[in-house]
Amino acid sequence: MAQGMKRLGTPIAALLGVALIGLIATSWLINRDALRRAVEAQIRDVTGLELSVAGAIDISILPASYISFHDVGLKGGGTSDPALHVDVLTANLRLLPLLLQRFEIADLMLLRPHIHVSLKPDGESNWTPFIQTIARTMKPGAENQVSFSEIRIQDGVLNYEDVATHATEKLEDIDLSLAWPSISRSFAATGQFDWRGERVDGSISFADFVAALSGERSGLKARIASAPLKLAFDGSVANRTSPMMEGTLTIDSPSLRNALRWTGQPQPGSGGFGRFALKARANVVGASIALTNVNVELDGNAAEGVMTYANNGRQTLQATLAADTLDFTPYISTFRLLASGARDWNRQLFDLNGLSSTDLDMRLSAARLTVGPSKLGRTAIGANLRNGTLALSVGEAQVYGGIAKGSFGIARSDTVADVRAQFQFTDVDLQACASELFGINKLSGRGNINVSLVASGSSPFGLAQSLDGTATVVGHDGAISGFNAEQLLKRLERRPLSGGGNFRNGSTPYDNLTISVKFADGIATAENIRVEGPSAKITLAGTASVPTREYDMKGVASLNTSSGFELPFVVQGPWDDPLIFPDPESLIRRSPASAPLLDMLKDRKGGDAVRSAIERITGTGGKRPAPEGSPTAENGKDGAKSN
């Protein structure tokens, strides 16, 4: 066997020697001008681009066979400016044809290319001739069919401009490998590039590259992966009259807000829009995308349905989605009507920029919905945003143990928000509803609430100052906490001057409750407030300031007895903890022994002494300074001097 290997090795060594001698001879005998012309012709035939070489030309046969052009510009289609400028363009040559003095390019290497893409108003670009040439030369049966196995791009830069919209983009540090189909009809490109400060990994492949270049239908797979966003598409593409794509679209992002910021899209509001995932069947026609079989997740909320998106000068999103459970808390978490830890309205200015960038038409239904502290049952919501005006409609929502319907609208005027709200609550828990909507926690029972309000302002405080509209409440079988009207009336009926006492304990039950309020410039005027209970009834009149959140009201409470005892009273102070106390003058008049003292008050002489006595009896007054010149005042002065 050893002798056989020796006999076989001798001719092999001789053959290699001959090949080596041939390569050396070729390197000496090669026609360098012919090589350059052949390489330039092949690049022109394949790409349709003319080479303009301003630098040196390096030719090597051993140990590697290549030709390198320095400072190269490539242009085509009659354009004067090069569409591609390369610092060094290297064409690696096929070895065997080279031994036969035939010059064939195996692959191309582009070092530091500067690629310029300009999209014209008619939809074509400065690269259209290049694409047409590629499609023509790669068609089966084409004359002088030439191709490369691979094109590599290293440290490249791409500048894109849209002449019609004046939009520009720049990709830097491009490292790509383009698998150029010489035998197979497929095409693939993989690599990395920098865009807007993020490193992006990408890949794209066409099942039939010739069909894709010709605008015919071809299979397409594309993937983009970066820190803010991951996107994948698997389907088909065509471009007969306009770009069309159909297939499965998958999008994933740890923060939709950051992804929108990175892609230059407007960011909605200031809360939520974190973790985002979408998978759907996509149908793309031009700048419009229709999504079916949508499964979307945002901030832990998952929904299914259909969506469409269009960008024809203005972005428009339409969607119809259904979900089991939705939580809107993240989107209102940064919006506070009241200042943190205070009773005052929030004075922070609204951010209304999100209302002017996108048009929205959405239908959303959920079995359970959470909005801050509110828990809603089955809910149907419609949202429409157009030309800076937002309109929300609630078709029906199970809330506070009842049903709610209504609408809410915001129109932007510079930095001012014009707000309109109309809601109807039917058979709801009044305590939960009034506490969450109006900050009133003294009312319980069940009933109906109708609200129609308009306001205009640049902050919640501004809205409170300009509030206009009406509100009505019709309740039954509840109570008003803070005082027991029956107990108080019976005690004061027996002993009108029994002292101030504590009038802020207990509660007043009622069978029927009617409240009718009119708002004008932030002041709520009680037009009709009646409380009818089993043993007492109450009527109220007065005003409540919305900006200061305070009551200034007077009322009359009466017993449902044969005596018909009536007691005027006053309600003053903050909404969440008002003061409720009886009218002192009415108590004095109810007392036979003290009523004559009121007449003495008209007499200036001794009036102060009578008033002081009344205040000690009723416990409603404090110390008052003695009039100037009175004995009490003089004694006070003498005492001060003696000290």
Side-chain angles (χ1 to χ4, degrees), residues 374-510:
S374 302
K375 307 292 184 181
L376 286 70
R378 188 166 298 280
T379 304
I381 301 175
N384 185 278
L385 175 60
R386 189 174 298 276
N387 298 326
T389 300
L390 173 65
L392 299 176
S393 62
V394 180
E396 183 173 292
Q398 299 174 351
V399 59
Y400 308 128
I403 300 296
K405 298 180 180 180
S407 62
F408 178 82
I410 301 177
R412 176 185 176 182
S413 177
D414 293 330
T415 60
V416 176
D418 297 324
V419 179
R420 292 181 176 272
Q422 290 184 335
F423 287 99
Q424 300 85 40
F425 297 90
T426 305
D427 193 26
V428 295
D429 183 342
L430 294 179
Q431 185 173 24
C433 186
S435 177
E436 293 186 9
L437 295 182
F438 309 110
I440 301 173
N441 53 15
K442 299 293 184 181
L443 182 65
S444 63
R446 299 193 68 83
N448 304 331
I449 300 178
N450 289 286
V451 177
S452 178
L453 301 173
V454 295
S456 180
S458 57
S459 67
F461 180 73
L463 295 179
Q465 287 182 308
S466 63
L467 190 65
D468 293 332
T470 60
T472 60
V473 180
V474 178
H476 61 89
D477 301 324
I480 302 175
S481 62
F483 70 102
N484 188 322
E486 179 186 9
Q487 186 182 59
L488 176 63
L489 290 172
K490 288 182 178 180
R491 178 160 62 89
L492 295 179
E493 183 181 23
R494 295 192 303 268
R495 300 176 58 194
L497 302 181
S498 58
N502 187 355
F503 300 114
R504 303 175 67 186
N505 290 328
S507 62
T508 300
Y510 66 83

Side-chain angles (χ1 to χ4, degrees), residues 68-398:
S68 295
F69 302 91
H70 295 261
D71 194 5
V72 179
L74 294 96
K75 58 183 179 179
T79 59
S80 58
D81 297 329
L84 173 64
H85 184 275
V86 186
D87 285 358
V88 181
L89 187 154
T90 299
N92 293 308
L93 306 175
R94 292 189 173 97
L95 182 58
L96 292 179
L98 184 62
L99 295 176
L100 301 176
Q101 295 292 312
R102 287 171 31 210
F103 311 121
E104 296 182 8
I105 300 176
D107 57 71
L108 292 178
M109 171 67 182
L110 280 63
L111 179 62
R112 292 184 296 276
H114 294 265
I115 308 167
H116 177 69
V117 179
S118 177
L119 183 64
K120 302 175 183 178
D122 58 3
E124 295 189 350
S125 74
N126 57 330
W127 283 83
T128 299
F130 161 76
I131 297 174
Q132 293 173 345
T133 301
I134 291 290
R136 184 173 59 254
T137 57
M138 292 185 61
K139 281 185 177 181
E143 297 181 0
N144 300 322
Q145 189 171 9
V146 181
S147 183
F148 311 140
S149 62
E150 184 181 16
I151 296 179
R152 295 190 303 275
I153 297 175
Q154 182 177 341
D155 197 16
V157 175
L158 186 148
N159 289 290
Y160 168 84
E161 66 171 345
D162 189 329
V163 177
T165 63
H166 305 288
T168 60
E169 294 293 346
K170 186 175 184 180
L171 279 63
E172 299 178 290
D173 196 13
I174 302 173
D175 294 322
L176 285 179
S177 176
L178 287 68
W180 210 262
S182 56
I183 300 176
S184 172
R185 299 173 65 88
S186 64
F187 167 84
T190 59
Q192 298 177 327
F193 56 88
D194 289 342
W195 184 52
R196 297 185 176 181
E198 295 288 346
R199 193 63 175 168
V200 180
D201 288 320
S203 66
I204 186 170
S205 64
F206 293 91
D208 191 334
F209 192 46
V210 176
L213 292 176
S214 303
E216 301 299 323
R217 188 181 184 89
S218 170
L220 171 65
K221 291 184 179 181
R223 180 186 63 85
I224 294 177
S226 64
L229 181 70
K230 294 181 180 179
L231 183 148
F233 179 83
D234 187 354
S236 61
V237 62
N239 189 13
R240 296 182 180 91
T241 57
S242 61
M244 295 184 295
M245 298 171 62
E246 184 179 2
T248 301
L249 176 66
T250 304
I251 303 176
D252 188 274
S253 172
S255 172
L256 181 58
R257 184 174 300 280
N258 292 339
L260 292 173
R261 183 187 301 114
W262 178 57
T263 57
Q265 301 300 315
Q267 302 171 53
S270 57
F273 292 91
R275 178 77 174 84
F276 173 76
L278 180 144
K279 185 175 182 180
R281 186 70 180 176
N283 193 330
V284 182
V285 179
S288 300
I289 304 174
L291 302 177
T292 57
N293 300 327
V294 173
N295 288 276
V296 61
E297 180 181 344
L298 178 62
D299 296 318
N301 298 315
E304 299 178 350
V306 296
M307 302 173 67
T308 60
Y309 172 82
N311 189 357
N312 298 315
R314 184 172 178 83
Q315 300 182 84
T316 302
L317 176 64
Q318 296 178 311
T320 300
L321 300 172
D324 183 40
T325 302
L326 292 178
D327 186 358
F328 282 179
T329 304
Y331 315 112
I332 64 170
S333 59
T334 59
F335 178 77
R336 293 182 175 88
L337 288 175
L338 299 180
S340 179
R343 292 177 175 176
D344 296 333
W345 295 98
N346 190 358
R347 296 172 185 258
Q348 184 176 356
L349 299 180
F350 294 130
D351 182 6
L352 304 175
N353 293 327
L355 295 178
S356 59
S357 56
T358 304
D359 290 341
L360 176 69
D361 187 3
M362 179 176 289
R363 301 291 180 268
L364 188 63
S365 61
R368 293 180 298 276
L369 178 64
T370 301
V371 183
S374 302
K375 307 292 184 181
L376 286 70
R378 188 166 298 280
T379 304
I381 301 175
N384 185 278
L385 175 60
R386 189 174 298 276
N387 298 326
T389 300
L390 173 65
L392 299 176
S393 62
V394 180
E396 183 173 292
Q398 299 174 351

